[in-house]
Amino acid sequence: MPETQLPGDGTSGPDTEAPFTPKGPINEMWAARPHWVRRGEAFFHVLRVKFAHAVLLPELSPDQAYDLRQTVRQEGQLTHGYVLMCALAAGIAILGLLQSSTAVVIGAMLVSPLMSPIAAMGFGFASLDGHRIRDSIRVVAIGAGIGIATGIVLTWLSPIRNATPEILARTEPNLLDLAVALFSGIAGGYSTVIGKGGTAIGVAIATALMPPLTVIGYGIGVLQPMFALGALLLFLTNLAAITFAFALIARLSGAARPFGKVEWTPRYATILVAAFLALATPLTMTLMKLTNEARIRSAAQEAIIAACGERGVTIAQLDVSSSLLGSPKVKALVIATSYTGNAEIAAENALKETLGEDVDVSLQQVLAADVRSQTQAMVDAAMERTTAGIAADVPPYKAIRQKVGLPTRSIWTDRAQRMVYLEPVPAPDWTLADYRATEKAASQGVNGWTVRLMPPPQPRLTVLLEASEDAQVPEDAIATDLGIWALQRWGLGEVTISGADHARLTALARLLADAGIAAQIDGAVAPPPETSQAPAKDGARTSPPASPRAITATIAVYATSPSRLEAQRAEREAAARAAALEESFSAP
């Protein structure tokens, strides 16, 4: 069934450009332009043709250019099919974003129809045709509204509303996004002019436009205005870059209407200027933002290297983000041979002195002693970044360190499990119970991440198995669950237990097995005797009962060293030889 034009789409009359006689003072001045202006016009025409041939653009005849403009205008009209395909593409895109599935998001682009009205808008700018610009803006705006509305509705209906890396990647424009939009627009303009490959190029153009539209709907649906505003700026920036790229290709190829046939009426001139400002303003804001971030990036590299000691320091990752409402943020991963305390504060002070503004620095230090370790750390960081999505999904390291309140020896993350592992410097007078309480407090203060604190390792743990109210408990005895927590943080899979009777050690081994730790019983002792006091004879004095002792077990944390095992084996062999020799002498 052929497409039908919707009422009120802003077009009327036949599907051809209505011929007109240029009117108005500007058109009259152009018609009466002097001879030297005409010669300059001819000179620039020759330059345009040569440049178009150099970049493999065809030189269209007036009739071919006219037919191409009509085709582009007709394909960019508002139809029922356009509305339906916008809704379907937006629905697939928001579901792919919520699942963080790149394949699903790309699949949504296969049905997106946004290329056609954007091409019409670009040709309108190239021809300085206010009427065509007005009509194409209306079609693009309707498609954008459908995409946003679909994103809002499906976000409300979806049981999963987490901000995935795919969503976070589209909450603010960056230089790579702008480059993708620009190259997509150039490719789209070229395919439109030569009449080949339009479907594939339309996918690339839709990739730069439809996901940001659905992220706007997501931000509104979850009441996150910063997400919505950032995605809106990204959409407008990409739209401006693609439109101007189409206009450039249309003008170079000769597909645009000649300037002498432009209708310079006040109405169309106003539409042209307003549309240009609407697209140029977000593009200018984005370019200013990128320029500022490049300046901060350059200063941050010097400040971070100076704060970490300069020698043996490599910045593996450096991400800079800025917003209109907050201070710029710098997140860096540094590979160094030694840990530098208070490096974040030193870097922030240096940046404030250099830039004259406050910059929030989040610094992660990875220790690597030799070149091989440094190379491996950089590869791991790059692979982790690729798998996770983008650096926007970074744990709040600074807030975690403030919650812990101890100098940090190392910190690393498991993005798949949303875990942050932190190893503090051993602190005097801190017990395992203190480290566990600190871990719990740090995890409660961080949204979306779980903190795992690595306490300083100990050679053995004394766990309390049983004790009465008046029993003497050793000072170093800890609860069984606290001991299991420490063993899990140390990553132990097998330990040796001793110091109690076999029945109690077996029960302890079952508890350890439930926590994923195998236990080997070594050196079980006899159970404590039942204490009972015999009745005193008449006139005899009774001694006070001895205070009962608590029942504890010892968990050997460190495995027996290979040298110690070899020495024990040698002792056993020597004892066996001595016993055999003694037996041979005692034989008759």
Side-chain angles (χ1 to χ4, degrees):
M1 180 177 179
E3 294 285 3
T4 57
Q5 183 176 318
L6 293 182
D9 68 343
T11 61
S12 59
D15 293 339
T16 58
E17 291 180 358
F20 68 95
T21 302
K23 299 179 181 179
I26 298 180
N27 296 104
E28 294 176 358
M29 290 175 59
W30 179 260
R33 61 192 183 276
H35 181 69
W36 63 270
V37 175
R38 297 177 185 272
R39 290 180 62 86
E41 181 184 358
F43 174 74
F44 283 110
H45 173 76
V46 173
L47 289 181
R48 178 188 64 77
V49 172
K50 290 184 176 181
F51 182 79
H53 290 168
V55 296
L56 304 180
L57 280 175
E59 173 62 20
L60 302 180
S61 65
D63 291 339
Q64 291 175 330
Y66 176 81
D67 293 339
L68 179 59
R69 291 197 299 272
Q70 297 312 303
T71 301
V72 170
R73 187 183 68 82
Q74 292 174 5
E75 291 179 352
Q77 291 179 357
L78 180 64
T79 62
H80 292 289
Y82 173 82
V83 173
L84 176 61
M85 299 306 285
C86 281
L88 293 177
I92 299 173
I94 186 62
L95 294 178
L97 293 172
L98 291 173
Q99 298 178 59
S100 192
S101 174
T102 305
V104 176
V105 175
I106 294 176
M109 303 309 101
L110 296 174
V111 297
S112 177
L114 289 176
M115 177 177 171
S116 297
I118 293 176
M121 187 189 305
F123 273 63
F125 273 104
S127 302
L128 301 180
D129 190 341
H131 181 71
R132 303 304 177 208
I133 294 174
R134 180 197 63 188
D135 293 344
S136 57
I137 286 180
R138 180 183 295 110
V139 178
V140 172
I142 291 175
I146 292 173
I148 295 173
T150 304
I152 295 174
V153 173
L154 292 184
T155 299
W156 286 343
L157 297 178
S158 173
I160 303 175
R161 300 181 183 179
N162 298 332
T164 62
E166 288 286 340
I167 292 177
L168 295 175
R170 293 168 174 87
T171 55
E172 59 178 355
N174 56 47
L175 186 60
L176 297 181
D177 293 327
L178 183 59
V180 169
L182 184 61
F183 291 152
S184 299
I186 295 174
Y190 183 78
S191 67
T192 301
V193 169
I194 66 176
K196 297 180 181 180
T199 302
I201 304 302
V203 174
I205 291 177
T207 303
L209 296 177
M210 188 57 75
L213 286 175
T214 55
V215 172
I216 296 174
Y218 170 83
I220 298 175
V222 298
L223 302 180
Q224 289 289 340
M226 297 307 298
F227 283 4
L229 291 177
L232 177 61
L233 180 59
L234 175 60
F235 167 75
L236 293 178
T237 301
N238 291 347
L239 177 62
I242 294 172
T243 301
F244 292 149
F246 263 97
L248 176 63
I249 298 299
R251 177 53 61 182
L252 289 177
S253 64
R257 187 167 59 179
F259 288 127
K261 296 184 178 181
V262 175
E263 187 177 2
W264 292 102
T265 61
R267 177 185 177 186
Y268 289 148
T270 302
I271 295 175
L272 177 63
V273 173
F276 177 80
L277 293 177
L279 292 179
T281 300
L283 183 59
T284 303
M285 293 175 58
T286 299
L287 292 176
M288 293 176 59
K289 174 179 178 293
L290 295 177
T291 302
N292 185 47
E293 290 180 355
R295 181 176 62 93
I296 297 174
R297 181 185 300 274
S298 177
Q301 288 179 342
E302 298 179 0
I304 291 173
I305 292 178
C308 294
E310 295 188 357
R311 295 189 59 184
V313 177
T314 303
I315 300 178
Q317 294 180 9
L318 180 62
D319 298 307
V320 179
S321 61
S322 61
S323 62
L324 299 176
L325 304 179
S327 301
K329 296 181 180 180
V330 174
K331 299 176 183 178
L333 174 64
V334 175
I335 301 175
T337 56
S338 61
Y339 178 80
T340 303
N342 299 323
E344 290 183 349
I345 298 177
E348 289 178 352
N349 294 335
L351 287 175
K352 185 175 182 179
E353 182 178 353
T354 303
L355 302 175
E357 60 179 333
D358 293 330
V359 179
D360 187 8
V361 178
S362 178
L363 188 60
Q364 179 183 1
Q365 300 184 51
V366 176
L367 304 185
D370 52 17
V371 176
R372 181 178 180 181
S373 300
Q374 293 177 3
T375 304
Q376 185 61 42
M378 294 180 67
V379 172
D380 292 342
M383 292 299 295
E384 183 182 12
R385 180 188 182 98
T386 303
T387 304
I390 64 165
D393 188 24
V394 176
Y397 294 114
K398 187 174 183 179
I400 294 174
R401 290 194 183 97
Q402 291 176 348
K403 286 285 185 179
V404 173
L406 292 174
T408 304
R409 173 176 292 173
S410 61
I411 183 170
W412 64 97
T413 60
D414 181 357
R415 296 182 188 275
Q417 301 295 328
R418 310 292 292 177
M419 296 284 187
V420 178
Y421 296 91
L422 187 143
E423 181 184 3
V425 175
D429 301 328
W430 274 59
T431 64
L432 291 176
D434 296 329
Y435 287 108
R436 184 170 67 171
T438 302
E439 177 190 271
K440 183 178 180 180
S443 296
Q444 291 176 349
V446 180
N447 294 327
W449 294 87
T450 302
V451 178
R452 290 290 180 261
L453 197 65
M454 305 292 108
Q458 301 178 11
R460 63 184 57 85
L461 298 176
T462 301
V463 295
L464 184 63
L465 301 181
E466 184 179 334
S468 58
E469 295 182 358
D470 55 347
Q472 296 180 358
V473 180
E475 294 183 357
D476 59 345
I478 60 175
T480 303
D481 61 334
L482 181 58
I484 293 176
W485 172 84
L487 295 176
Q488 291 176 331
R489 295 299 176 268
W490 294 330
L492 296 177
E494 184 177 357
V495 294
T496 302
I497 56 178
S498 61
D501 60 274
H502 192 275
R504 288 184 171 87
L505 291 180
T506 302
L508 176 60
R510 285 197 295 267
L511 292 176
L512 292 171
D514 293 340
I517 304 172
Q520 181 180 358
I521 299 176
D522 182 29
V525 300
E530 297 290 338
T531 58
S532 61
Q533 185 176 359
K537 298 181 180 179
D538 295 339
R541 299 178 61 185
T542 60
S543 58
S547 299
R549 292 185 59 83
I551 300 175
T552 61
T554 300
I555 301 178
V557 176
Y558 294 161
T560 306
S561 64
S563 59
R564 179 59 180 166
L565 291 175
E566 182 64 23
Q568 292 176 354
R569 186 185 63 82
E571 291 176 358
R572 289 194 299 269
E573 292 178 354
R577 287 194 299 269
L581 184 60
E582 182 179 356
E583 183 179 356
S584 63
F585 283 139
S586 61

